[in-house]
Amino acid sequence: MRVAVVDYGMGNLRSVSKAVEHVAPQAQVEVTSDPARVSGADRVVFPGQGAMPDCMREMEARGLRPAVVEAARSRPFLGICIGLQMLFESSEEGDVAGLSLLRGKVRRFPAAAMQDTGGRRLKVPHMGWNQVRQERPHVLWSGITDGSRFYFVHSYFPEAGEAGLVQGTTDYGIPFTCAVAKDNIFAVQFHPEKSHTTGLRLLANFVNWNP
């Protein structure tokens, strides 16, 4: 089995590839910016960090868009952080268009709502550990307790255009969608590669997932 970790120059991909290698020592895990290598992989991981306009621009500049879109339509596909946001139709961050593989928009945390239950101001970006509610059963939640904590670093979140897309939610001032799924796509706002044993379990579930 060959797993491609898509490299479009945004983010530290070594931690992602090492985490996948850890849970799937039998697999060939490759960080690649070559569209042909992405197209030839059995599974694709689409991570990213930074501003969405920069990520979209860099992906286009490397000619990766057709290969990413084709993979997201045909093979087990895992989006992480910006890799989740890019799947949607548009983002408030730079008013940029996404890949439109999923219906909905990406929005910034509303400043007026950034308070905890005690009225204290919450910082943006949302950074650190937070609980994830599993909104419906999915193979990638297998062996992961509902309410488990994952590691987040982000200022924007997806607002899904279809209720059936939402797989997980988290509270940070407001409840927001942090995991989505459709057919062969599963995507998360948090970083499983930074989420210790729980994140590794999700990655292991992905490697063994046959949608």
Side-chain angles (χ1 to χ4, degrees):
M1 174 174 53
R2 196 157 67 81
V3 181
V5 179
V6 182
D7 179 10
Y8 49 96
M10 302 297 293
N12 177 17
L13 305 184
R14 181 175 173 79
S15 60
V16 176
S17 64
K18 288 298 182 184
V20 177
E21 289 172 5
H22 179 78
V23 301
Q26 79 286 0
Q28 178 186 348
V29 182
E30 179 182 21
V31 177
T32 182
S33 58
D34 183 348
R37 302 296 290 173
V38 174
S39 294
D42 301 300
R43 297 169 189 273
V44 172
V45 181
F46 187 48
Q49 294 177 345
M52 186 162 158
D54 296 336
C55 292
M56 290 296 300
R57 183 187 64 249
E58 293 301 318
M59 184 188 63
E60 298 278 9
R62 288 165 170 76
L64 282 162
R65 183 182 185 123
V68 169
V69 169
E70 188 272 334
R73 288 175 173 163
S74 62
R75 276 160 286 153
F77 186 98
L78 177 65
I80 298 174
C81 196
I82 297 293
L84 170 144
Q85 296 179 12
M86 293 168 74
L87 300 177
F88 285 87
E89 293 168 300
S90 64
S91 175
E92 289 183 347
E93 187 175 21
D95 192 25
V96 66
L99 295 173
S100 295
L101 290 162
L102 301 176
R103 288 183 55 199
K105 298 181 178 182
V106 175
R107 301 198 181 278
R108 184 175 172 83
F109 281 113
M114 291 295 96
Q115 296 181 2
D116 65 15
T117 53
R120 292 179 294 271
R121 199 78 180 151
L122 295 172
K123 294 181 179 179
V124 177
H126 171 214
M127 183 180 299
W129 295 85
N130 208 333
Q131 288 184 307
V132 172
R133 289 188 300 274
Q134 299 170 19
E135 295 299 330
R136 49 179 51 84
H138 194 282
V139 171
L140 266 70
W141 293 135
S142 177
I144 299 173
T145 303
D146 189 16
S148 292
R149 294 165 69 83
F150 290 86
Y151 190 79
F152 290 81
V153 183
H154 65 120
S155 301
Y156 295 79
F157 61 91
E159 188 175 84
E162 302 174 48
L165 292 176
V166 180
Q167 288 290 329
T169 57
T170 298
D171 289 319
Y172 191 69
I174 58 171
F176 69 91
T177 296
C178 68
V180 297
K182 184 175 183 179
D183 302 329
N184 57 294
I185 296 172
F186 196 94
V188 294
Q189 183 62 66
F190 51 81
H191 288 269
E193 78 281 5
K194 297 179 180 179
S195 299
H196 301 330
T197 55
T198 307
L200 290 176
R201 180 56 190 259
L202 188 143
L203 291 173
N205 290 341
F206 170 71
V207 169
N208 292 295
W209 180 35
N210 292 300

